[in-house]
Amino acid sequence: MKHPSMDRAISKFFLHLHPKKIEPKAILFTRTFGLGGIAALLFVILFITGMLLRFAYVPSGVGAYDSIVRLQDELIFGRMLRNFHYWSAMLLVVVSFLHLVRVFYSQAIYFQRRKNWLYGLLLMFLVVSSNFTGYLLPWDQLSFWAVTIMTNMLSYIPFFGNSLANLVRGSKVVDEQTLLRFYNFHTGVLPLLMVFFMSIHFWLVRKARGVTIPSSEKAEKVDTSPHLVYKEVLAALIVVLVLLLFSFFVNAPLLDKAKPLVSPNHSKAPWYFMGFQELLMHIHPAFASFLLPLFVILFFIIIPYVPYHQINEGVWFYSEKGKKITFISAIFTTVFTLLLILIDDLLLDIGGWFSGLPVIFTEGVLPVLCYFVPIGGFIFYVRKKLKADRMELVISSVTIILVAYVVMMLVGSLLRGEGMQLIF
Ligand code: HEM
């Protein structure tokens, strides 16, 4: 039987995070899918397992790999601990991304929530950076070459790319300095920044009186505890249990010790960066690793500040038409992106037709035009034929960006084999 004072302690803890009373509709699972809460839980799991891993890990080029092997093979529950940390980290990237998608499509980023969208974007950056810095720590062939590829990508940025790549690596190539730098960011700087910005994020959710629900669904409020608290505790237990089971059966990858002079046949970036690596195979690096990401980041920052004619807070996809537009945009982008990848890889060498011209034109401007002119045509169709308003156009554009990235990430991760050739 559960002790009543324990019940009270759990309720009290959760009431720091939630208002005392809450709209009944805000408790519905389909409102948030619990994604923000699961992300917070995963962060706590990562913090605790990370602290334990530190007892076994040696942050040096000579010792790192052997310490991981020893942890897995000799220390009691060592392998399980590593797996649990690894899979929680991967899940945090997925869950944070889905949470971003949820708040965007459920119109939860406007009015007093605008700032929280920006803090959310920052958190997304911190989640990915934490994952990426942790990726190098096993110091095996997989992690060494993945980080080499990604940091090389930075050096393609015009003007300051090389300096930035050297700053990130702490050296001209990935070496022991990089390992030490990543270790310090991964176990010190980034967790601290995340705690700080997560606190602001939660406080802003509280300040906005909890999660967004449509005004039509507002009703008499109910007590947060027990209604919401029990659901959250149950969800947390399920997530922990599933992750533990998964970690028991599936091992985190570990290849041979890093060999800086022997690159594998097809080195790949971590899966969440594969969209960029795929893009690099079709478009000039200045576009793939700088101009396009910069454009997307700026666009995401301004989304909540665009002057819309109407905002339907809490309404999924804004309107029935918005739902239809999201669906059509997703289908169009999937087909179009796959088609272009196939055409570029197997059929046409458009750049070759203009071989006398500068590379930035044949491999940059031209492929970008091949992609963006039809996309512009599609958005024009959505505007004219479907009579989309400004919000629906933004929804369509975000869908195009998200789906294009996911498709490229999947193609890069799953459909490329030796020499980065397409495999079917
Ligand atoms: C470590 C990462 C993150 C954690 C732990 C986190 C946590 C949370 C929690 C617990 C909530 C309230 C409940 C819920 O909506 O599920 C929330 C709401 C919110 N989050 Fe996050 N979040 C994270 C990342 C992000 C990202 C990447 C974005 C978007 C760029 C974002 C934007 C928002 C917004 C706008 C709200 C308010 C939603 C509403 O009022 O309905 N968050 N977050």
Side-chain angles (χ1 to χ4, degrees):
M1 211 176 75
K2 215 179 331 155
H3 202 281
S5 65
M6 187 161 141
D7 264 7
R8 264 205 307 280
I10 293 178
S11 302
K12 243 175 138 180
F13 171 74
F14 277 86
L15 285 178
H16 280 99
L17 305 174
H18 299 296
K20 227 172 150 135
K21 293 210 170 255
I22 196 163
E23 300 278 352
K25 288 278 164 109
I27 301 175
L28 284 181
F29 181 65
T30 46
R31 184 109 299 274
T32 63
F33 298 99
L35 292 164
I38 295 175
L41 171 71
L42 289 170
F43 177 78
V44 174
I45 294 176
L46 286 164
F47 195 88
I48 296 170
T49 49
M51 297 270 266
L52 294 174
L53 284 171
R54 279 177 62 125
F55 284 98
Y57 183 74
V58 179
S60 75
V62 185
Y65 182 79
D66 294 341
S67 71
I68 295 280
V69 173
R70 184 168 164 268
L71 167 83
Q72 292 196 150
D73 296 345
E74 292 174 28
L75 299 186
I76 186 158
F77 290 125
R79 184 180 292 271
M80 182 73 187
L81 179 66
R82 176 171 181 240
N83 291 349
F84 195 30
H85 189 77
Y86 182 89
W87 293 120
S88 304
M90 295 305 158
L91 190 61
L92 179 58
V93 176
V94 177
V95 167
S96 307
F97 176 75
L98 292 178
H99 176 59
L100 180 155
V101 170
R102 173 322 256 173
V103 294
F104 171 74
Y105 285 112
S106 66
Q107 300 258 294
I109 61 169
Y110 301 103
F111 304 116
Q112 72 273 49
R113 291 179 178 81
R114 277 181 191 154
K115 253 199 227 152
N116 227 2
W117 168 253
L118 300 185
Y119 281 114
L121 291 179
L122 190 60
L123 279 173
M124 189 76 226
F125 170 75
L126 292 176
V127 165
V128 172
S129 306
S130 301
N131 196 304
F132 182 58
T133 47
Y135 209 85
L136 181 67
L137 302 187
W139 202 245
D140 65 344
Q141 278 290 74
L142 182 73
S143 64
F144 181 89
W145 288 101
V147 172
T148 300
I149 287 185
M150 278 314 296
T151 49
N152 282 349
M153 246 188 234
L154 284 179
S155 59
Y156 293 130
I157 296 175
F159 307 119
F160 57 91
N162 271 326
S163 317
L164 183 65
N166 293 345
L167 185 75
V168 170
R169 287 189 293 246
S171 170
K172 287 206 157 93
V173 289
V174 175
D175 62 13
E176 192 147 357
Q177 280 306 315
T178 322
L179 183 64
L180 195 59
R181 189 159 288 209
F182 275 36
Y183 175 73
N184 279 316
F185 270 98
H186 186 72
T187 60
V189 180
L190 291 169
L192 274 178
L193 286 177
M194 282 197 61
V195 168
F196 180 70
F197 287 110
M198 270 164 57
S199 310
I200 299 181
H201 193 62
F202 297 158
W203 175 66
L204 287 175
V205 175
R206 262 307 239 122
K207 225 176 125 200
R209 295 173 199 283
V211 298
T212 320
I213 60 164
S215 50
S216 61
E217 290 181 10
K218 292 211 164 126
E220 177 116 5
K221 292 189 175 174
V222 295
D223 285 335
T224 302
S225 170
H227 291 91
L228 173 61
V229 170
Y230 278 178
K231 268 193 172 177
E232 285 185 330
V233 173
L234 186 68
L237 287 177
I238 293 174
V239 171
V240 172
L241 203 71
V242 170
L243 259 174
L244 278 174
L245 270 177
F246 194 78
S247 307
F248 186 74
F249 289 109
V250 190
N251 284 331
L254 186 70
L255 304 186
D256 292 341
K257 191 171 178 167
K259 299 185 193 99
L261 298 177
V262 187
S263 86
N265 185 294
H266 57 288
S267 312
K268 287 190 178 180
W271 59 269
Y272 41 85
F273 284 141
M274 273 313 293
F276 291 116
Q277 199 178 346
E278 181 63 37
L279 197 60
L280 255 181
M281 301 188 58
H282 307 282
I283 293 182
H284 191 277
F287 283 84
S289 57
F290 182 58
L291 289 174
L292 291 177
L294 182 70
F295 168 77
V296 170
I297 291 170
L298 292 178
F299 177 56
F300 271 52
I301 288 176
I302 61 159
I303 289 173
Y305 299 92
V306 173
Y308 299 103
H309 305 295
Q310 197 185 335
I311 290 167
N312 295 332
E313 267 202 299
V315 177
W316 276 98
F317 303 104
Y318 173 68
S319 61
E320 275 309 308
K321 203 201 291 169
K323 210 181 278 178
K324 188 172 153 196
I325 288 173
T326 308
F327 182 70
I328 300 175
S329 307
I331 299 285
F332 165 78
T333 313
T334 307
V335 174
F336 182 58
T337 310
L338 284 175
L339 212 65
L340 272 194
I341 291 176
L342 281 178
I343 291 176
D344 190 39
D345 258 51
L346 306 177
L347 296 175
L348 295 182
D349 172 21
I350 301 178
W353 301 345
F354 302 89
S355 51
L357 296 173
V359 185
I360 189 78
F361 178 78
T362 52
E363 286 176 19
V365 179
L366 209 59
V368 167
L369 285 180
C370 287
Y371 196 65
F372 279 91
V373 169
I375 291 223
F378 174 77
I379 291 185
F380 186 74
Y381 160 82
V382 171
R383 168 102 185 82
K384 283 282 170 216
K385 282 274 185 250
L386 302 181
K387 305 214 177 336
D389 67 12
R390 200 170 290 162
M391 177 67 84
E392 286 155 349
L393 287 179
V394 168
I395 291 178
S396 174
S397 311
V398 170
T399 307
I400 290 171
I401 293 170
L402 295 179
V403 173
Y405 190 80
V406 172
V407 169
M408 286 190 296
M409 190 181 80
L410 291 175
V411 170
S413 307
L414 306 175
L415 296 181
R416 292 216 178 259
E418 287 210 354
M420 294 305 275
Q421 295 296 320
L422 278 179
I423 42 167
F424 297 101

